[in-house]
Amino acid sequence: MRMPRGYKRRLLVFLTIMGPGIITASVNQDAGGIATYSLAGAHYGYSLLWVLFFTTISLAVVQEMGSRMAVVTGKGLGELIRERYGLRPAVLMLSILVLVNLANTVAEFAGVAAAFEIFGIPRFLSVPLIALFVSWLVVQGTYAIIERVFLIASALYLLYVISAFLAHPPWGEVLRQTIQPSFEMDRNSLIMLITLVGTTIAPWMLFYVQSSTVDKGIRWKDYKYARFDVIVGAVVATGVAYFIIVACGATLHAHGVRIETAADAARALEPFGGRYASLLFALGLLNASIFSAAVLPLSTAYVTCEALGWETGVDRRPKEAPGFFSIYLVMIGIGAGTILWPNVPLIPIMFFSQTLNGILLPLTLIIVLQLVNDREIMGEAVNSPLSNLIGWGTAFLMSALTLLLLITFIL
Amino acid sequence: MLKEPPQRITSLTRWLSRPVVDSRGSEVGTLKDLVVLLWGLHPRVSKLCIARRGEEDLYLAWEAVAEIAETPTGPTVILDRPREELTPGDLRGDEMALRRNILDKKVMDTHGRRVVRVNDVQLEWRDEGYDMVALLAGMHSLLGRLVPERPLQWIASRFGIEIPREVVPWEHVEPIETELTKARKRAVYTKLAQLHPADIADIMEELNPSERAAILNGLEAETAVEALTETEPEVQAGVIQMLEPEKASDMLEMMEPDEAADILGDLPHAKAQELLEEMDPAEAEDVAELLEHEEDTAGGLMTTMYVAFHPETRVSEALEKLRALADEVETIYYLYVTDSSDRLAGVLSLRELMLARSEEQLHEIMIMQVITVGPKAPIRKVAETLSKYNLVALPVVDEDRRLEGIVTVDDVLDDLIPMIWKRRAAKKYI
C-alpha cells in the first residue's frame, strides 16, 4: 500500500514532530489506566486531581531522559543496560519487565472483556477474537494498517473530554481541587496514589520511548523537536487522565456510586451524561485496550530480543525469529487466557497491574538515572541538575510510597 | 613469560572477575578486561586490566603473566613478580579492550550477512600468546553465561536438545559504531565494502538509523549509494535524515533522479527542500520536477535520464554520443527522437541504430508510432502497457507530446511485486 505523496508528506511532518513521545503517551492510556482514573474519580472525586500536576512534570522529565539517551547513543534502554551492566543484570531486568508487561497485557484483555460486556457481548467470544486479531496484526499486518489504527486510536481519546463535558461538573470546584493538594493517610488512599503515579509513569514506557526514538533516527541537532514531542505527550497523557477523573467525579462520586467493574464505570455515566456517555466510554476503553494489547507485547518482544541478540521483526517469518514470535504470542496467549478463567475479577486485575508498575518504576528509574549521568555514555548530554532533582525525586517518592504501602499491609 | 596455558582454547567470560595474584600468591585484584593489539588477522592479547579495591584500574602488559592456574571455579592469573614491582601501562591507540568494546555489543557478521550480539570472545593459544580468533553468539554462549555448563549439558542431553552454537570468525567481524558514539577515528569498513551492495543493504536493514548513517559515512561514496538504493524506502528516508545535509545531497546527486525523488518524497517537506537546495542546481531541477508527480503514476515513476537525439542526427554521430552518455542514462536500448521543442517524434532501438548505415539520419529510420503514456497514468496501466507491447521502457509525454521522461520496466517491477506478493515490511515501532 502506498499513500499519495502529498498526504504521506504531511503525515510524516506530523509524525516527525509528534512522534515517539505522543505515541507512548497514547499507548499508556490503556485499560489499566482508564480503570485507575475511573476509580480515582469515583471514589475520591476531584481530590486527587492535584497529583496529575506533579505526574505531568515527572513524566515529561523522565521521558525526556529516555529520548535524550536514544538520540545520543542510538541505542535502546535494554541494549544500554546490557552493554553497561553485562548480561546477567540485563536478563534480570528484562525478566522483570516481561513479568510486569505480562500483567499489563492481562489488564488490556480485561479491558477488552469489560468493554464488550457493556455492549452485551460475552468475554468468551470477544477475548479470543481480539487475541486473534491482535496476533494477526503482527504476523500479517503492515505498517500502514498499524499506523491507521494508531491515528484512529489517538482521536478516540477525545471521547473522554466529551464525556467529561456531558457530565456537567462544577468547574469552579474542579479547578480549586486541581491546585489545592489534599491527602488522607490510609492504606486505600496510599494504594490509589501509588497506582495513579504508576499508571502515568510506567516502567515499560521508558523502554518504549527510547526504542522508538532510536528507530526514528533523530539527530542531536534536531533534538529540540524530540523534547517538544515528549512534553506534548506528557501533557496530552495527563490531560486525558484529568478528564476521565472529572467525568467520574462529577457523576459517580457526586452521587455516592462505588464501582466494581468497568461496566459500572460506563453505565453509571448513563443517567447523568446522557444516553451516549456510557457508549462512548465503552468505545474508548475498547480502543485503548486493543491498541495497547497489540503494542505492549510487541515492544516487550523487541526490547528483549534486541538485548539478547535474537532475530526480531514483524517482517520475518516465525521460523526465522522464533524467540521474537514466542514472546509476543505467549504474552497474548497468557493475557487472553487469564481473562477466560472463570470468575476472574476484571477491575482488580487492571488495578493490580498498575500497582505493580508503581512498585517497579523506582528500579527502572534508578538505572535510567545512572545511565543518563554516565559521561562515558552521554558525553556532554548528561542530565542537568534540575532533571536529576526531579528524576531522583520521583524515584525516591515512589520508593517511599511503596514502603509506606508495605508498612500499612504489615500493621 | 607464560609457557603453555592449561586450556589452548578458552573464552573471555571465563576469565572476567577472576582473581589475579602476584608471584608471592597475594591477591592484586580481579581481572576486569583483556586488551588486544589490533594488528594482523587475529589480534593478540597484549594487556590485562586489573580492578583493584580502592585504587584505580591497573593496565599490565601480558608478559607479566607467569602462569594460569586452572581451579574448579575457573582460571586464576598468576603474575611473575611481587605487586610492588608491577609497572602500570596505558592503552595505546591501536589497542582495544575486549569487554568494554566488543563483549555484549552488536557487530556485523559480513560472512553470514547479519548482525549479531556478542555473548563471548573465543581466544586461542598460538605461538606463545592468546589470539582473539572468533566471537560467540547464539543460544549456547548466551546460556553459558547465565547458568553453569554442567546442568545445562545435562538438561540438554536429557531432553535431546541441541543448543545451537554460533561462532563468527574474527576475519568476518565488523564492529558497529553509531554516528553519535563513534571513536575519534572514523571507522573503515573494509570487510563490509567487499560485499555486494544488496548484501550490505540486508545488513543495514537490521541496524537502527544512526548505525546505518555511520556505515554509509564509512563506505566509499559509490558503494554507499548503491547499498542505500537497495534498501527499503522507509530505511532510505530515515538514513538520509540522519546524514549531514552535505553528505545526503551528495548521495542524492549520485542516484538516478527518480530514485532521489522517491526518497525526497518520503521526507518531510522542509527537509526535502533543504536537501534540494544543497544539491547541484541542474540535478536538483530534474529531481524537483519528478517530485511534482504523484508517487504511483507514470510521472512519479519516470526518470529524466534517457537518450534523446535530434531527428537530423546521423547514425554515426548518434552512436558516438551514445558512447559518451551510456554511463549516465538508465537505458540505452531505446533512443528517442525529439524536435527542437522536445516533442517526441519517434523512437528506435539500439539494434536498429547499429544495423543502420552510418550516414543515415535518425528520422529516416525511426518508428513514428511511439507507444506513450501521460504523466498521470497509474502504475497498473504503465505495467500493462509495458507488458502488452513487450517494451523495456515507456516514454512519458505531456498533452503537447513533449517528452518528460521514461519509465523503465524495472521501476515498475519494483513497485508491482510488493503489491502482488511481497508484503511491505511492517515497521517495529509505529
Side-chain angles (χ1 to χ4, degrees), chain B residues 24-89:
Chain B
R24 287 194 299 252
S26 76
E27 191 168 319
V28 181
T30 54
L31 191 75
K32 190 180 180 186
D33 212 334
L34 286 180
V35 177
V36 294
L37 193 58
L38 290 169
W39 285 357
L41 201 56
H42 293 122
R44 171 154 293 212
V45 176
S46 59
K47 288 195 176 84
L48 45 164
C49 176
I50 303 167
R52 296 177 296 179
R53 199 168 302 157
E55 279 179 272
E56 248 182 78
D57 293 346
L58 174 73
Y59 285 99
L60 206 62
W62 176 257
E63 281 70 36
V65 176
E67 197 186 332
I68 290 158
E70 202 60 41
T71 70
T73 44
T76 298
V77 178
I78 302 168
L79 303 176
D80 65 354
R81 63 201 83 166
R83 55 190 305 169
E84 305 85 49
E85 289 170 33
L86 296 175
T87 41

Side-chain angles (χ1 to χ4, degrees), chain B residues 108-119:
Chain B
M108 292 181 271
D109 166 7
T110 57
H111 184 69
R113 284 151 211 182
R114 66 203 175 127
V115 176
V116 295
R117 198 168 275 279
V118 181
N119 293 330

Side-chain angles (χ1 to χ4, degrees), chain B residues 373-390:
Chain B
V373 285
K376 289 204 163 49
I379 181 166
R380 205 158 277 278
K381 186 176 177 220
V382 175
E384 277 167 13
T385 314
L386 278 164
S387 129
K388 183 175 170 192
Y389 298 101
N390 277 324

